[in-house]
């Protein structure tokens, strides 16, 4: 099986531990970005995965490419050009202080992509799955049309398409997101989101639910998934369900709606090391399990477990193996030392 993901990889700059910005004079420099995170997770699961983006030819751009190669992601289709790698600054939250993300990605190589940069016929040669997120068209310019062309080409070739809505208010408005994602989603087979994404982009709300107070109403999520499916014809709709008890402690679970039935994972109480990329590791787990024709019950358990483990890993990239995910999905979450 071959998977293609499409999006922007950024330089991530973050203070060590729980320091606030410039409380220390050191920033950790790593790389990350939604679709790149999915690609790394899938490569870690042993899948053949290509990441498609546009990066400058200078040393920082090459370092981003090298970071993906390290994990076994195919980078041969990455377009080189432009002048800068997008940056995001992350200050990790603790206790009642939430995390803070600041973007510096305007004018990045990827955001200046044009249609001619990407030969989708070649990119999708022998591909079985295509994944992108709402972040990519949110970057504006030609990217909404590039995403649309990619989706049309993938659909013509019978390639499964998944999309994580991933609404980012710092990148575009709700009306903009609604307009563009309403054009893209009819091509999508598997929609991934949380309750806030569905409400922000499409006005579809999970009633009687408050993630800040920990209230999760399962029937409301089933209704939201049904509304999404009816509007766009998705084969499947998956929700991540997060109850934020504090910046450090969350309850985490997920739901998959497919074939007219809903399937809920077990709930994990996670003590957070780094939550960035958790949704991407969920998407990767779901894609992996669906590609291997696992049951809906197994698929949602595997995806939720993969994401729960990501909360324990520093950086954007998940470093969990299939065996580790299967162990947790099977109920072994004690965290005891294995010898």
């Amino acid at each position: 099986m071959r998977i293609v993901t499409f999006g922007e990889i950024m330089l991530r700059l973050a203070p060590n531990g729980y320091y606030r910005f410039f409380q220390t004079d050191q920033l950790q420099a790593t790389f990350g970005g939604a679709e790149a995170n999915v690609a790394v997770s899938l490569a870690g699961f042993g899948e053949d995965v290509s990441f498609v983006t546009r990066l400058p030819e200078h040393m920082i751009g090459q370092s981003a490419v090298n970071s993906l190669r390290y994990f076994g992601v195919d980078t041969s289709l990455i377009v080189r050009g432009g002048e800068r790698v997008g940056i995001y600054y992350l200050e990790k939250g603790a206790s009642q202080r939430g995390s803070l993300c600041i973007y510096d990605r305007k004018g990045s190589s990827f955001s200046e992509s044009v249609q001619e940069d990407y030969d989708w016929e070649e990119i999708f040669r022998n591909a079985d799955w295509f994944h992108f997120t709402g972040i990519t068209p949110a970057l504006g310019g030609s990217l909404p049309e590039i995403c649309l062309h990619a989706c049309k080409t993938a659909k013509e070739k019978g390639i499964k398409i998944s999309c994580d809505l991933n609404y980012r208010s710092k990148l575009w408005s709700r009306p903009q997101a609604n307009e563009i994602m309403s054009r893209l989603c009819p091509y999508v087979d598997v929609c991934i989101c949380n309750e806030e994404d569905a409400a922000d982009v499409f006005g579809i709300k999970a009633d009687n639910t408050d993630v800040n107070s920990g209230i999760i109403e399962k029937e409301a999520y089933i209704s939201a998934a049904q509304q999404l499916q009816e509007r766009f014809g998705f084969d499947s709709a998956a929700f991540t369900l997060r109850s934020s008890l504090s910046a450090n402690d969350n309850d985490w679970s997920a739901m998959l709606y497919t074939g007219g039935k809903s399937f809920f994972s077990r709930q994990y109480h996670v003590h957070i090391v780094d939550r960035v990329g958790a949704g991407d590791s969920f998407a990767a787990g779901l894609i992996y399990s669906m590609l291997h024709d696992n049951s809906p019950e197994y698929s949602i358990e595997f995806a939720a477990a993969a994401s729960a483990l990501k909360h324990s890993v520093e950086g954007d990239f998940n470093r969990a193996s299939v065996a580790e995910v299967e162990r947790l999905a099977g109920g072994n979450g004690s965290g005891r030392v294995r010898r």
Side-chain angles (χ1 to χ4, degrees):
M1 296 291 187
R2 179 169 174 265
I3 306 149
V4 174
T5 74
F6 176 59
E8 181 169 43
I9 185 169
M10 293 177 290
L11 175 65
R12 164 178 155 158
L13 298 176
N16 290 315
Y18 295 102
Y19 282 115
R20 305 214 68 180
F21 288 132
F22 298 105
Q23 186 179 355
T24 172
D25 60 1
Q26 295 180 339
L27 294 174
Q28 291 181 326
T30 54
F31 292 94
E35 296 88 351
N37 298 343
V38 172
V40 168
S41 282
L42 286 165
F45 295 156
E47 295 300 311
D48 178 7
V49 57
S50 299
F51 177 63
V52 179
T53 193
R54 185 172 185 263
L55 285 166
E57 294 189 40
H58 57 52
M59 188 176 293
I60 306 303
Q62 188 59 44
S63 295
V65 172
N66 293 345
S67 73
L68 295 164
R69 286 177 174 170
Y70 175 84
F71 291 97
V73 175
D74 171 36
T75 60
S76 64
L77 297 169
I78 291 178
V79 177
R80 306 307 289 268
E83 297 182 358
R84 71 181 302 253
V85 176
I87 300 171
Y88 87 93
Y89 300 87
L90 176 69
E91 180 185 278
K92 289 200 297 184
S95 192
Q96 280 69 49
R97 174 173 59 84
S99 296
L100 176 61
C101 177
I102 298 174
Y103 290 126
D104 177 18
R105 61 201 303 181
K106 188 176 181 180
S108 68
S109 290
F110 182 70
S111 69
E112 295 179 344
S113 293
V114 295
Q115 195 75 256
E116 293 72 27
D117 285 327
Y118 306 102
D119 181 352
W120 293 108
E121 290 288 336
E122 179 61 28
I123 290 168
F124 287 141
R125 189 182 301 277
N126 300 319
D128 301 283
W129 197 288
F130 173 53
H131 178 77
F132 71 104
T133 80
I135 294 172
T136 296
L139 295 174
S142 298
L143 284 165
E145 291 304 318
I146 293 171
C147 285
L148 183 60
H149 187 196
C151 286
K152 287 181 176 180
T153 305
K155 186 61 68 175
E156 290 168 0
K157 292 180 171 295
I159 296 167
K160 285 284 188 183
I161 303 173
S162 58
C163 176
D164 189 333
L165 293 183
N166 263 351
Y167 176 71
R168 297 291 185 266
S169 62
K170 293 182 179 180
L171 296 180
W172 58 358
S173 68
R174 291 181 179 86
Q176 287 174 317
N178 182 285
E179 177 190 354
I180 292 174
M181 295 309 294
S182 292
R183 294 171 60 202
L184 295 172
C185 280
Y187 298 93
V188 172
D189 299 292
V190 181
C191 177
I192 301 164
C193 60
N194 60 33
E195 73 294 327
E196 293 169 310
D197 293 332
D200 287 333
V201 179
F202 297 123
I204 295 175
K205 298 180 180 179
D207 294 329
N208 303 317
T209 291
D210 185 350
V211 295
N212 295 313
S213 61
I215 299 173
I216 298 286
E217 176 56 60
K218 289 186 175 182
E219 291 300 321
Y221 283 95
I222 296 171
S223 173
Q226 289 172 333
Q227 291 177 65
L228 285 169
Q229 193 174 61
E230 288 167 5
R231 185 179 300 187
F232 297 109
F234 301 135
D235 290 340
S236 305
F239 278 80
T240 54
L241 314 178
R242 182 190 296 276
S243 296
S244 293
L245 309 177
S246 72
N248 297 102
D249 293 280
N250 289 182
D251 288 331
W252 179 261
S253 59
M255 184 204 76
L256 177 63
Y257 186 82
T258 188
K261 296 180 179 179
S262 57
F263 304 89
F264 287 85
S265 74
R266 71 183 69 210
Q267 185 179 79
Y268 298 94
H269 180 79
V270 292
H271 185 71
I272 298 170
V273 171
D274 191 334
R275 63 170 281 178
V276 178
D280 305 320
S281 59
F282 173 81
L286 193 62
I287 293 167
Y288 172 84
S289 199
M290 285 183 161
L291 272 173
H292 287 267
D293 294 323
N294 289 313
S295 68
E297 296 95 331
Y298 183 88
S299 294
I300 197 62
E301 289 290 359
F302 186 91
S307 187
L309 285 173
K310 168 61 194 76
H311 287 80
S312 71
V313 179
E314 289 276 10
D316 269 50
F317 297 156
N318 198 7
R319 296 169 182 253
S321 67
V322 170
E324 287 174 319
V325 176
E326 289 178 338
R327 190 178 299 113
L328 180 58
N332 186 351
S334 65
R336 292 176 63 87
V337 176
R338 298 196 307 275
R339 294 185 173 91

